[in-house]
Every structure is written in C-alpha cells, then in structure tokens.
Amino acid sequence: MITFHLNGQPHRVTADVHLSVLELLREQLHLTGTKEGCASGDCGACTVAIGAPDANGELRYHSANACIMPAHQLQGRHLVTVEGLADDQQYLHPAQAAMVECHGSQCGFCTPGIVMSLFTLHEEQHTNPLATPFSPERLEAALGGNLCRCTGYRPIRDAALAMNSIDGHRPIWLDATLNDAQDNQHEANPDETNSRFHQPRQLNDLVRLRAAHPEARLVAGATDLWLEVTQQLKDLPRLIDTTRVSELQQIEQGQDASGRPGWWIGAAVTYARLEPLLESEYPTFAHLLHRLGSAQVRNRGTLGGNVANASPIGDTPPVLLALDAQLRLAGPNGSREIAANNFFIDYKKTDLADNEVLSAVFIPAPQAGRQLKVWKLSKRREDDISAVLSAFAWHLEDGCLRDVRLAFGGMAGIPARARGAEAALEGNPPSPSVFEAARQALANDFSPMSDVRGSADYRTRSASALLERLRLVIESSTHAQPHTQEVMLHAYAH
C-alpha cells in the first residue's frame, strides 16, 4: 500500500514492485496527460513534479521522469501532474498561461512534460528565496531534459521567460496541503513479509534487509536500474529503496582515515543536492554533472548509485579515482573504508560483499596548486552516455609534474587509472617529449572494446588526444600572466 498526495488530494493505492509512476497514472488512476515517449528517461514527455520536505520541513518540488520512477517511492510525497495545475479547469497556472500566450505548444505530445518542467522552475523561484536566479542558463538547465520533436523551442523559451510576469493562478492546495503531505512520510513502511519493496529509514535497517535478502536489488534514483524493467522487461525479484535512509542523505564535512579534510557524501545524495558543493570546490566536476543527464535525472540520480553500479562508462568514478576518493562500506560487522581505486575489480564486479552497502563517498578538499580537469566525449554534448571520459589531477612543483592521476572511463571493463602514462609523467617537466612518452605508455595501459558508442581505435586515439590537450592546457597556464591564467583555466574547465 502506498500513501501519497496527488494534485492536492490524498491517495492510497496498491502497487506491484515493478509499477512505475507513469503506469500508475495512466493505467490505474486514468490520468493520461502524462505521456510515454521513450520509457528511458530521455525525452521528458512523462515529466511530473515531486514534492518532498526539505531540511526545514518545507515542501519543495523537483521534476522527475515518471517512466523510470518506481511508484512505491511516492510514499509520503506529493505528486503533481499536468491535470492538477489548472484550478477547477478555469484558472491556469502561470506556466500554462505563458505557454498559451506565447503559442508554445505545437503537436502537443511533449507539452505536458514541458509545462511540468516550467512548473517546477516557477515554484522554485516562487517559494525559495535562495533559488538560483532566473537566467537563460537556468532555463536551459530546466528544459534540457524535454525533447520537442517539432523543434518549437523559441516560443517555449519565450513562455518560460514570460511566466513570472504573466497573469496566472497557483492552485491553493500547493500551500494548503503542506502539512498533510509531510505527515505521510512517517507512515509505516510496506510490510516486509508480504511486500517485495522495502523502504528502510535507518542504516542498520538497510544493512539488515540487505543481509536477509541478498537477491534484492538496491534502488535509489532508478535512472539506470529501471531501464532493465522498461527496456529489457526483466523481473526484479525484490527491491530495497535507499532514498529514505537518513544516514545516506547527509553531506558532512570531516576527514578520512588518513586525516585528509573533505566531505563525506551520503550514497543517496542526489546530483542536484551535490552540485552546489562541487560548484564551490570543484567547478570542473560540477560542470560534468550537466553533461551527465537532464535536470530530471540529476534530481533523482545519486553519486552512490553511479559508483556502486560499477559501469565502465559511468561518469563520476574516473573523477573520484583522480581525486583519490575513499568509499565507506557498511555491513553487519560495522563500516570499513576503501580507496575508490581498489573498489572496482572487474566488469560490474566490486569489492562490495553480498551483505554490504555503499554508505558514503569521501571527496577530499582541494589542495592549493593542485589542478583537476575533466573531459567527456559522447555523441551528444548533453544527456548522453560517455564514449570516453578522462579525469586528470596533478600539480607542478619546481617545474615538474607531481602526484599525477590519469583516470579514464570507457577504456576498460572498469573505470581505471592509466598507471604507465602516470609513471611517464611523474617527476618530469610537462614537455612535448615527456607527453609523447606518456601517450606511448597509454597505448599499453588499456585495450578498449568496440561498441555502438565508439570503436577500439577511436577510443585509443581519443584518449591519446586528451593527453595532448592536457599538455596544451598546462603549457598555456604556465606561460600566462596570473589574471590571464585564471581566465584560461576557467575556460578549459567548461
């Protein structure tokens, strides 16, 4: 049984473990305004808004792809669909009114999802005084996950820019049901004996469930896992939801076992929540998140999920390898820390025991003079899977490269460092001859495979070219004046 609010009204429904929010809306609740376009979280036609309490207990809305969101994760949440925005079908929400006024709808299939993305953008600006100021860049980020096949983005953009000044009406229940929606999150979890979906609230309960059900799959944002249901039609035997575990939702400043200062990022922290910290400390890493996926994906996907998934083309693991990140694994016998470099063993195989869960990721604080560059190659610039991803960290000492880390995704069965190329650079000046030796060593570090995203030859050549790009960046920065250097580094980071 799932208890939640839908467009201002309480609902209780029974759902199978495989039911998505989209299927719940269309097939059980007969709300067909939310469309299915791709069933993989790419097109945004199924975009809905999810209201959840923030740290202060205030309800905040974020956009999500209903096609890849498990229905059970609605427990205690407020689900808003396009049908709920117009008050008594008479007064349009500003997002709807702006789309009408600016002629933003063409064939109409993608329109409900676009309206819902604009709704969450409007609500963020309306209710959160600390929200990112409205700008063309903010608008692009909000609509980046909505595909309009009619190519009518100009009037859609006009509507977005106009909605804050256009005459519209917010439904009263957006504010009136805050307390009701929050109270639902404290209701009992689905029965552990009869249900195949579990939603623990504490880490010890998560570990206990993990040990009791080793066949279960852990689910957080479901941005990758749910494709096994929608694309491969797999039967997932049992799911354990990590998104309500309080310890996995924390971002804490602290130290790792070696005493390095930094931040412990809970495994269920979403990219959207992590982004402000990275913008401040590692802008290059933050920029990668915008190429990792759309706003809908970043609102749901988690750093821990990207790591534990152990995909060789996952975007964040190479960066964590370059930063010498640490991972905290929790099991029945307590927690242990392991270097991210030792976590990935083989394709989709990690050091995680059957009765353990990844609970947190440690990102060290930036060190003075140490540089980080991250470059991603993919067929589309945004919202696409990597063909090759490189993450390079180093610093210059007396004109020589020190503590060099060269990490790649897409070059092997696991995210991995290029040990031979690192050794060729370590302790040497960043000269063309030194980098030529590093590129020759890199050819022996990896034997990439060919697939739909790139041939082995393409990946080998691309990785070599990225090393040359690194040399040019270092050469430019070392010869630039201090002010020019800052500008150039910022430009290369983006």
Side-chain angles (χ1 to χ4, degrees), residues 151-205:
T151 68
Y153 284 105
R154 188 197 57 76
I156 293 170
R157 183 178 183 275
D158 291 344
L161 295 173
M163 68 178 177
N164 284 333
S165 58
I166 207 165
D167 186 24
H169 180 76
R170 293 177 69 247
I172 297 175
W173 48 258
L174 281 175
D175 297 319
T177 61
L178 286 178
N179 291 332
D180 292 337
Q182 290 176 32
D183 289 342
N184 283 340
Q185 70 169 324
H186 300 296
E187 293 193 8
N189 297 330
D191 180 76
E192 293 184 2
T193 302
N194 299 323
S195 174
R196 292 193 295 157
F197 190 97
H198 309 286
Q199 203 170 63
R201 305 301 172 94
Q202 302 296 327
L203 180 58
N204 60 347
D205 291 328

Short mmCIF file of all heavy atoms in Angstrom, two decimals, residues 151-205:
data_model
loop_
_atom_site.label_atom_id
_atom_site.label_comp_id
_atom_site.label_asym_id
_atom_site.label_seq_id
_atom_site.Cartn_x
_atom_site.Cartn_y
_atom_site.Cartn_z
N THR A 151 10.55 20.95 -32.91
CA THR A 151 11.61 21.97 -32.87
C THR A 151 11.05 23.36 -32.58
O THR A 151 11.54 24.36 -33.11
CB THR A 151 12.42 22.00 -34.19
OG1 THR A 151 11.60 22.48 -35.26
CG2 THR A 151 12.96 20.63 -34.53
N GLY A 152 10.06 23.45 -31.73
CA GLY A 152 9.44 24.74 -31.43
C GLY A 152 9.97 25.38 -30.18
O GLY A 152 9.19 25.87 -29.34
N TYR A 153 11.27 25.41 -30.01
CA TYR A 153 11.83 25.87 -28.74
C TYR A 153 11.75 27.38 -28.56
O TYR A 153 11.75 27.86 -27.42
CB TYR A 153 13.28 25.41 -28.59
CG TYR A 153 13.41 23.95 -28.25
CD1 TYR A 153 13.81 23.01 -29.19
CD2 TYR A 153 13.09 23.50 -26.97
CE1 TYR A 153 13.90 21.67 -28.88
CE2 TYR A 153 13.18 22.16 -26.64
CZ TYR A 153 13.59 21.25 -27.60
OH TYR A 153 13.67 19.92 -27.29
N ARG A 154 11.72 28.16 -29.62
CA ARG A 154 11.71 29.61 -29.43
C ARG A 154 10.46 30.07 -28.68
O ARG A 154 10.56 30.77 -27.67
CB ARG A 154 11.83 30.35 -30.76
CG ARG A 154 12.01 31.85 -30.58
CD ARG A 154 11.72 32.62 -31.85
NE ARG A 154 10.38 32.37 -32.36
CZ ARG A 154 9.27 32.91 -31.83
NH1 ARG A 154 9.37 33.71 -30.79
NH2 ARG A 154 8.10 32.63 -32.34
N PRO A 155 9.24 29.69 -29.09
CA PRO A 155 8.08 30.10 -28.30
C PRO A 155 8.04 29.47 -26.91
O PRO A 155 7.49 30.08 -25.99
CB PRO A 155 6.89 29.67 -29.16
CG PRO A 155 7.42 28.63 -30.09
CD PRO A 155 8.85 29.00 -30.34
N ILE A 156 8.60 28.26 -26.78
CA ILE A 156 8.66 27.64 -25.46
C ILE A 156 9.58 28.47 -24.56
O ILE A 156 9.25 28.74 -23.39
CB ILE A 156 9.17 26.19 -25.56
CG1 ILE A 156 8.15 25.33 -26.29
CG2 ILE A 156 9.46 25.62 -24.18
CD1 ILE A 156 8.66 23.94 -26.65
N ARG A 157 10.71 28.89 -25.10
CA ARG A 157 11.63 29.74 -24.34
C ARG A 157 10.96 31.07 -24.00
O ARG A 157 11.10 31.58 -22.88
CB ARG A 157 12.91 29.96 -25.14
CG ARG A 157 13.97 30.76 -24.43
CD ARG A 157 15.23 30.86 -25.29
NE ARG A 157 16.29 31.58 -24.60
CZ ARG A 157 16.41 32.90 -24.58
NH1 ARG A 157 15.51 33.64 -25.22
NH2 ARG A 157 17.40 33.49 -23.95
N ASP A 158 10.23 31.63 -24.95
CA ASP A 158 9.52 32.88 -24.69
C ASP A 158 8.53 32.70 -23.54
O ASP A 158 8.38 33.59 -22.68
CB ASP A 158 8.76 33.34 -25.94
CG ASP A 158 9.70 33.80 -27.05
OD1 ASP A 158 10.90 34.04 -26.75
OD2 ASP A 158 9.25 33.90 -28.21
N ALA A 159 7.83 31.57 -23.54
CA ALA A 159 6.86 31.30 -22.48
C ALA A 159 7.55 31.21 -21.13
O ALA A 159 7.05 31.74 -20.12
CB ALA A 159 6.10 30.01 -22.79
N ALA A 160 8.69 30.54 -21.08
CA ALA A 160 9.42 30.41 -19.82
C ALA A 160 9.86 31.76 -19.29
O ALA A 160 9.76 32.04 -18.09
CB ALA A 160 10.62 29.50 -20.03
N LEU A 161 10.34 32.61 -20.18
CA LEU A 161 10.81 33.93 -19.76
C LEU A 161 9.65 34.83 -19.34
O LEU A 161 9.84 35.76 -18.55
CB LEU A 161 11.60 34.59 -20.89
CG LEU A 161 12.92 33.89 -21.28
CD1 LEU A 161 13.53 34.54 -22.52
CD2 LEU A 161 13.91 33.93 -20.12
N ALA A 162 8.45 34.54 -19.85
CA ALA A 162 7.31 35.40 -19.56
C ALA A 162 6.48 34.95 -18.36
O ALA A 162 5.69 35.72 -17.83
CB ALA A 162 6.40 35.48 -20.79
N MET A 163 6.65 33.69 -17.91
CA MET A 163 5.68 33.14 -16.95
C MET A 163 5.71 33.83 -15.60
O MET A 163 4.72 33.81 -14.87
CB MET A 163 5.88 31.63 -16.78
CG MET A 163 7.16 31.22 -16.12
SD MET A 163 7.22 29.43 -15.93
CE MET A 163 8.87 29.23 -15.19
N ASN A 164 6.83 34.45 -15.23
CA ASN A 164 6.87 35.13 -13.93
C ASN A 164 6.14 36.46 -13.94
O ASN A 164 5.87 37.03 -12.88
CB ASN A 164 8.32 35.34 -13.50
CG ASN A 164 8.96 34.07 -12.99
OD1 ASN A 164 8.28 33.18 -12.50
ND2 ASN A 164 10.27 33.95 -13.14
N SER A 165 5.83 36.97 -15.13
CA SER A 165 5.15 38.26 -15.21
C SER A 165 3.75 38.15 -15.81
O SER A 165 3.01 39.12 -15.83
CB SER A 165 5.97 39.24 -16.06
OG SER A 165 6.20 38.73 -17.36
N ILE A 166 3.40 36.95 -16.27
CA ILE A 166 2.11 36.78 -16.93
C ILE A 166 1.03 36.50 -15.90
O ILE A 166 1.31 36.01 -14.79
CB ILE A 166 2.19 35.64 -17.97
CG1 ILE A 166 1.17 35.85 -19.08
CG2 ILE A 166 1.98 34.28 -17.29
CD1 ILE A 166 1.43 34.99 -20.30
N ASP A 167 -0.20 36.82 -16.24
CA ASP A 167 -1.32 36.61 -15.32
C ASP A 167 -1.64 35.12 -15.24
O ASP A 167 -1.96 34.48 -16.23
CB ASP A 167 -2.54 37.39 -15.82
CG ASP A 167 -3.70 37.33 -14.83
OD1 ASP A 167 -3.41 37.10 -13.63
OD2 ASP A 167 -4.85 37.50 -15.25
N GLY A 168 -1.52 34.58 -14.05
CA GLY A 168 -1.80 33.17 -13.84
C GLY A 168 -2.23 32.92 -12.41
O GLY A 168 -2.31 33.85 -11.59
N HIS A 169 -2.52 31.66 -12.09
CA HIS A 169 -3.07 31.34 -10.77
C HIS A 169 -2.44 30.05 -10.25
O HIS A 169 -2.45 29.03 -10.94
CB HIS A 169 -4.59 31.18 -10.87
CG HIS A 169 -5.25 30.85 -9.57
ND1 HIS A 169 -5.46 31.79 -8.59
CD2 HIS A 169 -5.73 29.68 -9.08
CE1 HIS A 169 -6.05 31.22 -7.54
NE2 HIS A 169 -6.23 29.94 -7.82
N ARG A 170 -1.88 30.11 -9.04
CA ARG A 170 -1.35 28.91 -8.40
C ARG A 170 -2.47 28.22 -7.64
O ARG A 170 -3.17 28.88 -6.86
CB ARG A 170 -0.21 29.24 -7.43
CG ARG A 170 1.04 29.77 -8.07
CD ARG A 170 2.09 30.15 -7.02
NE ARG A 170 2.62 28.97 -6.33
CZ ARG A 170 2.41 28.70 -5.05
NH1 ARG A 170 1.64 29.49 -4.31
NH2 ARG A 170 2.96 27.63 -4.51
N PRO A 171 -2.68 26.91 -7.81
CA PRO A 171 -3.70 26.21 -7.04
C PRO A 171 -3.50 26.39 -5.55
O PRO A 171 -2.37 26.35 -5.05
CB PRO A 171 -3.50 24.74 -7.46
CG PRO A 171 -2.84 24.81 -8.79
CD PRO A 171 -1.96 26.03 -8.74
N ILE A 172 -4.58 26.60 -4.81
CA ILE A 172 -4.50 26.85 -3.37
C ILE A 172 -3.84 25.69 -2.65
O ILE A 172 -3.09 25.86 -1.70
CB ILE A 172 -5.91 27.11 -2.81
CG1 ILE A 172 -6.49 28.38 -3.43
CG2 ILE A 172 -5.89 27.22 -1.30
CD1 ILE A 172 -7.93 28.66 -3.03
N TRP A 173 -4.09 24.46 -3.14
CA TRP A 173 -3.58 23.29 -2.42
C TRP A 173 -2.07 23.17 -2.45
O TRP A 173 -1.49 22.38 -1.70
CB TRP A 173 -4.22 22.00 -2.94
CG TRP A 173 -4.22 21.82 -4.43
CD1 TRP A 173 -5.27 22.00 -5.27
CD2 TRP A 173 -3.13 21.41 -5.26
NE1 TRP A 173 -4.92 21.73 -6.57
CE2 TRP A 173 -3.61 21.37 -6.59
CE3 TRP A 173 -1.81 21.08 -5.02
CZ2 TRP A 173 -2.80 21.01 -7.67
CZ3 TRP A 173 -1.00 20.73 -6.09
CH2 TRP A 173 -1.49 20.71 -7.39
N LEU A 174 -1.37 23.92 -3.31
CA LEU A 174 0.09 23.88 -3.31
C LEU A 174 0.63 24.27 -1.94
O LEU A 174 1.67 23.77 -1.51
CB LEU A 174 0.65 24.81 -4.38
CG LEU A 174 0.64 24.29 -5.81
CD1 LEU A 174 1.12 25.36 -6.76
CD2 LEU A 174 1.50 23.05 -5.93
N ASP A 175 -0.07 25.14 -1.24
CA ASP A 175 0.34 25.54 0.10
C ASP A 175 -0.52 24.88 1.18
O ASP A 175 -0.02 24.56 2.26
CB ASP A 175 0.23 27.07 0.24
CG ASP A 175 1.16 27.79 -0.72
OD1 ASP A 175 2.30 27.33 -0.88
OD2 ASP A 175 0.73 28.81 -1.30
N ALA A 176 -1.80 24.65 0.87
CA ALA A 176 -2.72 24.19 1.89
C ALA A 176 -2.45 22.78 2.36
O ALA A 176 -2.80 22.42 3.48
CB ALA A 176 -4.16 24.28 1.38
N THR A 177 -1.82 21.94 1.55
CA THR A 177 -1.63 20.53 1.92
C THR A 177 -0.19 20.23 2.33
O THR A 177 0.21 19.08 2.37
CB THR A 177 -2.01 19.61 0.76
OG1 THR A 177 -1.18 19.91 -0.37
CG2 THR A 177 -3.46 19.78 0.38
N LEU A 178 0.59 21.27 2.66
CA LEU A 178 1.97 21.01 3.04
C LEU A 178 2.06 20.06 4.22
O LEU A 178 2.79 19.06 4.19
CB LEU A 178 2.66 22.34 3.39
CG LEU A 178 3.04 23.25 2.23
CD1 LEU A 178 3.66 24.53 2.74
CD2 LEU A 178 3.99 22.56 1.29
N ASN A 179 1.33 20.35 5.29
CA ASN A 179 1.44 19.52 6.49
C ASN A 179 0.96 18.10 6.24
O ASN A 179 1.57 17.13 6.70
CB ASN A 179 0.65 20.14 7.63
CG ASN A 179 1.28 21.44 8.12
OD1 ASN A 179 2.48 21.62 8.00
ND2 ASN A 179 0.46 22.33 8.65
N ASP A 180 -0.15 17.97 5.51
CA ASP A 180 -0.67 16.63 5.22
C ASP A 180 0.35 15.80 4.46
O ASP A 180 0.59 14.64 4.75
CB ASP A 180 -1.96 16.73 4.40
CG ASP A 180 -3.10 17.33 5.21
OD1 ASP A 180 -3.01 17.26 6.45
OD2 ASP A 180 -4.03 17.86 4.60
N ALA A 181 0.96 16.42 3.44
CA ALA A 181 1.92 15.69 2.62
C ALA A 181 3.14 15.30 3.42
O ALA A 181 3.70 14.22 3.26
CB ALA A 181 2.33 16.53 1.41
N GLN A 182 3.57 16.17 4.34
CA GLN A 182 4.74 15.85 5.15
C GLN A 182 4.44 14.72 6.13
O GLN A 182 5.26 13.85 6.35
CB GLN A 182 5.19 17.09 5.92
CG GLN A 182 5.78 18.19 5.04
CD GLN A 182 6.12 19.41 5.84
OE1 GLN A 182 6.47 19.33 7.01
NE2 GLN A 182 6.00 20.58 5.22
N ASP A 183 3.23 14.75 6.72
CA ASP A 183 2.91 13.74 7.72
C ASP A 183 2.96 12.34 7.13
O ASP A 183 3.29 11.37 7.82
CB ASP A 183 1.52 13.99 8.30
CG ASP A 183 1.50 15.22 9.19
OD1 ASP A 183 2.59 15.65 9.63
OD2 ASP A 183 0.41 15.73 9.44
N ASN A 184 2.64 12.19 5.86
CA ASN A 184 2.60 10.87 5.24
C ASN A 184 3.94 10.17 5.23
O ASN A 184 4.02 8.95 5.18
CB ASN A 184 2.09 10.98 3.80
CG ASN A 184 0.58 11.17 3.77
OD1 ASN A 184 -0.10 10.87 4.73
ND2 ASN A 184 0.09 11.68 2.66
N GLN A 185 5.03 10.94 5.26
CA GLN A 185 6.33 10.29 5.18
C GLN A 185 6.62 9.47 6.43
O GLN A 185 7.52 8.65 6.44
CB GLN A 185 7.42 11.35 4.97
CG GLN A 185 7.67 12.23 6.18
CD GLN A 185 8.92 13.06 6.04
OE1 GLN A 185 9.90 12.59 5.47
NE2 GLN A 185 8.88 14.27 6.54
N HIS A 186 5.86 9.70 7.51
CA HIS A 186 6.12 8.97 8.74
C HIS A 186 5.27 7.73 8.88
O HIS A 186 5.34 7.03 9.89
CB HIS A 186 5.88 9.90 9.95
CG HIS A 186 6.75 11.12 9.93
ND1 HIS A 186 8.11 11.07 10.04
CD2 HIS A 186 6.44 12.44 9.79
CE1 HIS A 186 8.61 12.29 10.00
NE2 HIS A 186 7.63 13.14 9.83
N GLU A 187 4.44 7.43 7.89
CA GLU A 187 3.62 6.24 7.99
C GLU A 187 4.47 4.99 7.88
O GLU A 187 5.60 5.01 7.41
CB GLU A 187 2.55 6.26 6.89
CG GLU A 187 1.52 7.36 7.09
CD GLU A 187 0.32 7.19 6.20
OE1 GLU A 187 0.21 6.15 5.55
OE2 GLU A 187 -0.52 8.10 6.18
N ALA A 188 3.88 3.88 8.29
CA ALA A 188 4.63 2.62 8.31
C ALA A 188 5.08 2.23 6.91
O ALA A 188 4.42 2.51 5.91
CB ALA A 188 3.74 1.52 8.89
N ASN A 189 6.22 1.56 6.85
CA ASN A 189 6.73 1.06 5.58
C ASN A 189 5.88 -0.11 5.11
O ASN A 189 5.18 -0.74 5.90
CB ASN A 189 8.18 0.57 5.74
CG ASN A 189 9.09 1.70 6.13
OD1 ASN A 189 8.86 2.85 5.77
ND2 ASN A 189 10.13 1.37 6.87
N PRO A 190 5.94 -0.44 3.82
CA PRO A 190 5.25 -1.65 3.35
C PRO A 190 5.69 -2.87 4.15
O PRO A 190 6.85 -2.98 4.54
CB PRO A 190 5.69 -1.73 1.88
CG PRO A 190 6.02 -0.33 1.50
CD PRO A 190 6.59 0.29 2.74
N ASP A 191 4.79 -3.76 4.40
CA ASP A 191 5.08 -4.95 5.21
C ASP A 191 6.23 -5.74 4.62
O ASP A 191 6.24 -6.08 3.45
CB ASP A 191 3.83 -5.84 5.29
CG ASP A 191 4.08 -7.07 6.12
OD1 ASP A 191 4.11 -6.94 7.36
OD2 ASP A 191 4.27 -8.14 5.54
N GLU A 192 7.25 -6.00 5.45
CA GLU A 192 8.45 -6.65 4.96
C GLU A 192 8.23 -8.10 4.56
O GLU A 192 8.96 -8.66 3.77
CB GLU A 192 9.56 -6.56 6.02
CG GLU A 192 10.04 -5.13 6.25
CD GLU A 192 11.19 -5.09 7.22
OE1 GLU A 192 11.61 -6.18 7.67
OE2 GLU A 192 11.67 -3.99 7.54
N THR A 193 7.22 -8.74 5.12
CA THR A 193 6.99 -10.15 4.82
C THR A 193 6.27 -10.33 3.49
O THR A 193 6.64 -11.16 2.67
CB THR A 193 6.17 -10.80 5.95
OG1 THR A 193 6.88 -10.64 7.18
CG2 THR A 193 5.95 -12.27 5.67
N ASN A 194 5.25 -9.51 3.26
CA ASN A 194 4.42 -9.70 2.08
C ASN A 194 4.82 -8.84 0.90
O ASN A 194 4.38 -9.08 -0.22
CB ASN A 194 2.95 -9.41 2.45
CG ASN A 194 2.44 -10.36 3.52
OD1 ASN A 194 2.79 -11.53 3.53
ND2 ASN A 194 1.62 -9.84 4.42
N SER A 195 5.61 -7.82 1.12
CA SER A 195 5.99 -6.92 0.04
C SER A 195 7.35 -7.28 -0.52
O SER A 195 8.22 -7.80 0.19
CB SER A 195 6.01 -5.47 0.55
OG SER A 195 6.49 -4.60 -0.45
N ARG A 196 7.53 -6.97 -1.80
CA ARG A 196 8.85 -7.14 -2.42
C ARG A 196 9.56 -5.80 -2.56
O ARG A 196 10.60 -5.72 -3.18
CB ARG A 196 8.70 -7.81 -3.79
CG ARG A 196 8.23 -9.26 -3.72
CD ARG A 196 8.42 -9.95 -5.07
NE ARG A 196 7.57 -9.38 -6.10
CZ ARG A 196 7.82 -9.46 -7.40
NH1 ARG A 196 8.92 -10.07 -7.81
NH2 ARG A 196 7.00 -8.92 -8.28
N PHE A 197 8.98 -4.75 -1.96
CA PHE A 197 9.60 -3.43 -1.96
C PHE A 197 9.76 -2.98 -0.51
O PHE A 197 8.79 -2.92 0.24
CB PHE A 197 8.73 -2.43 -2.73
CG PHE A 197 9.42 -1.12 -2.98
CD1 PHE A 197 10.04 -0.87 -4.19
CD2 PHE A 197 9.45 -0.13 -2.01
CE1 PHE A 197 10.68 0.35 -4.43
CE2 PHE A 197 10.07 1.08 -2.23
CZ PHE A 197 10.70 1.32 -3.45
N HIS A 198 11.00 -2.67 -0.13
CA HIS A 198 11.29 -2.26 1.24
C HIS A 198 11.87 -0.85 1.24
O HIS A 198 12.65 -0.49 0.36
CB HIS A 198 12.29 -3.23 1.89
CG HIS A 198 11.90 -4.67 1.75
ND1 HIS A 198 10.89 -5.24 2.48
CD2 HIS A 198 12.38 -5.65 0.96
CE1 HIS A 198 10.77 -6.52 2.15
NE2 HIS A 198 11.66 -6.79 1.21
N GLN A 199 11.49 -0.09 2.24
CA GLN A 199 11.90 1.31 2.31
C GLN A 199 12.38 1.64 3.72
O GLN A 199 11.73 2.35 4.48
CB GLN A 199 10.73 2.21 1.91
CG GLN A 199 11.13 3.58 1.43
CD GLN A 199 9.95 4.33 0.84
OE1 GLN A 199 9.00 4.61 1.54
NE2 GLN A 199 10.01 4.63 -0.45
N PRO A 200 13.57 1.14 4.10
CA PRO A 200 14.10 1.40 5.45
C PRO A 200 14.41 2.87 5.65
O PRO A 200 14.66 3.62 4.69
CB PRO A 200 15.36 0.55 5.49
CG PRO A 200 15.79 0.42 4.06
CD PRO A 200 14.52 0.36 3.27
N ARG A 201 14.43 3.29 6.92
CA ARG A 201 14.70 4.69 7.27
C ARG A 201 16.05 4.87 7.96
O ARG A 201 16.53 5.99 8.06
CB ARG A 201 13.59 5.23 8.17
CG ARG A 201 12.18 5.09 7.57
CD ARG A 201 12.06 5.82 6.24
NE ARG A 201 10.79 5.56 5.57
CZ ARG A 201 9.73 6.33 5.67
NH1 ARG A 201 9.76 7.40 6.42
NH2 ARG A 201 8.63 6.04 5.00
N GLN A 202 16.64 3.80 8.45
CA GLN A 202 17.92 3.88 9.16
C GLN A 202 18.92 2.92 8.51
O GLN A 202 18.54 1.90 7.93
CB GLN A 202 17.75 3.52 10.64
CG GLN A 202 16.76 4.40 11.38
CD GLN A 202 17.20 5.85 11.45
OE1 GLN A 202 18.40 6.14 11.53
NE2 GLN A 202 16.24 6.77 11.44
N LEU A 203 20.21 3.26 8.64
CA LEU A 203 21.25 2.45 8.00
C LEU A 203 21.28 1.03 8.53
O LEU A 203 21.46 0.08 7.75
CB LEU A 203 22.62 3.12 8.20
CG LEU A 203 23.82 2.40 7.58
CD1 LEU A 203 23.65 2.23 6.08
CD2 LEU A 203 25.11 3.16 7.88
N ASN A 204 21.08 0.86 9.84
CA ASN A 204 21.11 -0.51 10.37
C ASN A 204 19.98 -1.36 9.82
O ASN A 204 20.12 -2.57 9.61
CB ASN A 204 21.10 -0.50 11.91
CG ASN A 204 19.87 0.19 12.47
OD1 ASN A 204 19.13 0.86 11.76
ND2 ASN A 204 19.64 0.01 13.76
N ASP A 205 18.81 -0.73 9.54
CA ASP A 205 17.71 -1.47 8.93
C ASP A 205 18.03 -1.83 7.48
O ASP A 205 17.68 -2.91 7.00
CB ASP A 205 16.42 -0.65 8.97
CG ASP A 205 15.90 -0.48 10.39
OD1 ASP A 205 16.10 -1.40 11.20
OD2 ASP A 205 15.30 0.57 10.67
#
